């Protein structure tokens, strides 16, 4: 019995968990020019305190559609006191449309909501529980005479917060807006850092899109009419780079992406591109770039001075050895010239040699004459030991 009771409890808990994690789609029928409030369940528990709420809406004309008119339906939902509005349009060629809307959330109100009680609050015709409740209200307005079938589903958007050096790949729908918020670290506001937001188109490079950078807070500039009121905005096709200084966005920043239905305003030659119905796929990444250039400049200066010193030393040594070699060669040539000069000075000429010979001969004759005159008579016949 105990095993059966334990098994039953486990089954009940598992069933409750599965029911909480299942995304429930609410379908409602609206007659022409009517209004209805739809209560949509959220999966529980919340996957992260940084997860936002995304509401997917779909509308389809089921009765009264003619080829000559168009239909429109508007939506509104409030989250933590922030009212969000969006709409869908359907033409004669297409009798249905869909869009995804991320509900605006303010960091201050998100933090304050954790300190309030568990009571719900209601704002005008829309209402929503605080962040840890498991449902949300969405008000639907039919702005056509046709009968509409509307599907509404809400779920947690875990890709809303983007971290540093994290690459997010997402599709940009012309009928939806993508909003991301940068999650700064603790040292974000202590130093003046520069962050680079890079976007690279992976698919449908001819599709034009808006990129807007704003401070966190509501309301968001998340439609074509208001996106140019953003703090920074631009249009891009293939690649976009946006440098952001932390001093300009002390609490972080949000990134809004909107694909245009008509991309002509991004092309200088209006007829030289093909407008594809394929969704635009992009890669989004945030990186920190170097804000202080003292270190690279110092390293460059030290490197240049080191190279200059090395080249100067090589040049000086080369010049020194070259000069020494020239000096040694000069000394040798001087000694050779001096030796040659001395040999030329000591070598007698032919006339001098002849004159010296004549003088020597005269001396010899004089000596012989003196010898004969002075030598005694009896020595003349004396023979020396050598004779």
């Amino acid at each position: 019995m105990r095993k059966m009771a334990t098994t039953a409890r486990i089954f009940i808990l598992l069933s409750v968990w599965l029911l909480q994690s299942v995304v429930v789609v609410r379908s409602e029928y609206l007659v022409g020019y009517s209004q209805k409030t739809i209560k949509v369940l959220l999966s529980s528990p919340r996957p992260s305190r940084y997860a936002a709420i995304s509401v997917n809406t779909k509308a389809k004309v089921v009765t009264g559609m003619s080829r000559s008119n168009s239909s429109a339906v508007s939506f509104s939902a409030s989250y933590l006191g922030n009212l969000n509005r969006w709409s869908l349009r359907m033409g004669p060629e297409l009798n249905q449309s869909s869009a995804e809307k991320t509900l605006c959330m303010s960091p201050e109100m998100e933090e304050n909501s954790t300190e309030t009680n568990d009571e719900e609050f209601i704002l005008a015709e829309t209402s929503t529980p605080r962040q840890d409740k498991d449902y949300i209200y969405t008000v639907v307005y039919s702005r056509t005479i046709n009968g509409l079938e509307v599907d509404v589903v809400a779920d947690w958007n875990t890709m809303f917060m983007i971290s540093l050096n994290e690459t997010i790949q997402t599709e940009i729908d012309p009928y939806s807006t993508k909003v991301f918020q940068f999650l700064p670290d603790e040292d974000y506001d202590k130093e003046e850092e520069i962050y680079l937001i890079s976007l690279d188109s992976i698919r449908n490079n001819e599709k034009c899109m808006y990129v807007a950078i704003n401070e966190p807070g509501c309301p968001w500039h998340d439609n074509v009419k208001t996106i140019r009121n953003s703090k920074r905005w631009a249009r891009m096709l293939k690649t976009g780079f946006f440098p952001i200084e932390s001093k300009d966005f002390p609490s972080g920043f949000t990134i809004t992406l909107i694909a245009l239905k008509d991309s002509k305003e991004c092309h200088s030659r209006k007829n030289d591109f093909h407008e594809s119905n394929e969704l635009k796929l992009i890669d989004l990444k945030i990186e920190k770039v170097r804000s202080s250039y003292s270190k690279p400049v110092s390293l460059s200066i030290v490197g240049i001075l080191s190279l200059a010193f090395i080249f100067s030393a090589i040049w000086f040594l080369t010049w020194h050895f070259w000069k020494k070699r020239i000096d040694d060669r000069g000394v040798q040539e001087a000694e050779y010239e001096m030796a040659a000069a001395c040999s030329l000075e000591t070598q007698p000429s032919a006339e001098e040699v002849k004159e010296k010979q004549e003088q020597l001969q005269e001396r010899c004759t004089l000596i012989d004459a003196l010898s004969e005159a002075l030598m005694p008579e009896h020595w003349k016949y004396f023979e020396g030991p050598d004779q």
Side-chain angles (χ1 to χ4, degrees), residues 123-328:
L123 294 176
E125 74 272 10
T126 64
S127 66
T128 182
R130 72 181 187 89
Q131 68 174 40
D132 57 348
K133 290 292 183 178
D134 57 354
Y135 56 88
I136 187 170
Y137 290 105
T138 302
V139 182
V140 188
Y141 308 88
S142 173
R143 304 190 181 280
T144 177
I145 196 174
N146 303 312
L148 302 176
E149 182 180 319
V150 178
D151 297 338
V152 182
V153 58
D155 198 9
W156 298 107
N157 182 5
T158 57
M159 295 179 61
F160 173 69
M161 285 290 183
I162 178 171
S163 303
L164 191 66
N165 298 323
E166 177 187 4
T167 301
I168 291 182
Q169 190 171 95
T170 183
E171 289 184 335
I172 310 300
D173 189 344
Y175 300 95
S176 303
T177 302
K178 295 289 184 179
V179 181
F180 302 93
Q181 182 168 329
F182 173 61
L183 181 62
D185 52 18
E186 296 178 355
D187 299 332
Y188 175 80
D189 197 24
K190 295 180 181 178
E191 299 180 359
E192 293 184 1
E193 299 287 349
I194 299 178
Y195 295 82
L196 181 64
I197 304 173
S198 58
L199 298 102
D200 189 18
S201 177
I202 307 300
R203 186 177 64 214
N204 197 0
N205 298 334
E206 299 297 328
K207 173 63 70 174
C208 181
M209 61 177 287
Y210 276 103
V211 181
I213 314 296
N214 291 285
E215 296 181 357
C218 296
W220 288 340
H221 302 299
D222 55 353
N223 59 69
V224 178
K225 295 181 180 179
T226 62
I227 195 168
R228 296 196 179 191
N229 297 329
S230 301
K231 195 168 185 178
R232 296 183 184 179
W233 66 272
R235 293 171 298 191
M236 62 160 284
L237 292 172
K238 171 61 179 176
T239 306
F241 296 100
F242 302 86
I244 301 296
E245 296 185 15
S246 58
K247 65 179 182 179
D248 297 333
F249 299 87
S251 301
F253 49 85
T254 61
I255 305 170
T256 305
L257 308 177
I258 303 178
L260 299 179
K261 299 177 183 178
D262 189 357
S263 300
K264 290 183 179 180
E265 59 182 281
C266 282
H267 294 268
S268 57
R269 298 180 179 181
K270 308 299 184 181
N271 299 323
D272 291 349
F273 73 99
H274 173 67
E275 186 77 16
S276 175
N277 294 325
E278 192 177 20
L279 296 182
K280 190 177 187 70
L281 181 66
I282 65 158
D283 281 343
L284 171 63
K285 187 176 182 180
I286 301 177
E287 300 173 287
K288 182 187 292 186
V289 297
R290 191 181 300 275
S291 58
S292 176
Y293 297 96
S294 58
K295 186 175 181 180
V297 170
S298 301
L299 292 176
S300 301
I301 293 174
V302 171
I304 293 172
L305 293 178
S306 301
L307 291 175
F309 175 78
I310 292 172
F311 283 119
S312 299
I314 293 173
W315 179 85
F316 176 77
L317 293 174
T318 304
W319 174 82
H320 175 73
F321 287 114
W322 177 75
K323 185 176 181 299
K324 184 178 180 182
R325 185 177 179 183
I326 291 178
D327 292 342
D328 294 342

Side-chain angles (χ1 to χ4, degrees), residues 314-366:
I314 293 173
W315 179 85
F316 176 77
L317 293 174
T318 304
W319 174 82
H320 175 73
F321 287 114
W322 177 75
K323 185 176 181 299
K324 184 178 180 182
R325 185 177 179 183
I326 291 178
D327 292 342
D328 294 342
R329 184 182 297 176
V331 170
Q332 293 177 359
E333 291 178 354
E335 291 178 352
Y336 176 78
E337 290 177 356
M338 290 178 64
C342 291
S343 62
L344 290 174
E345 290 178 358
T346 57
Q347 183 178 2
S349 62
E351 294 179 355
E352 290 178 352
V353 172
K354 185 178 180 181
E355 184 179 355
K356 286 182 178 181
Q357 289 178 354
E358 291 177 354
Q359 290 177 0
L360 182 60
Q361 189 175 3
E362 289 178 357
R363 288 177 184 178
C364 290
T365 304
L366 181 61

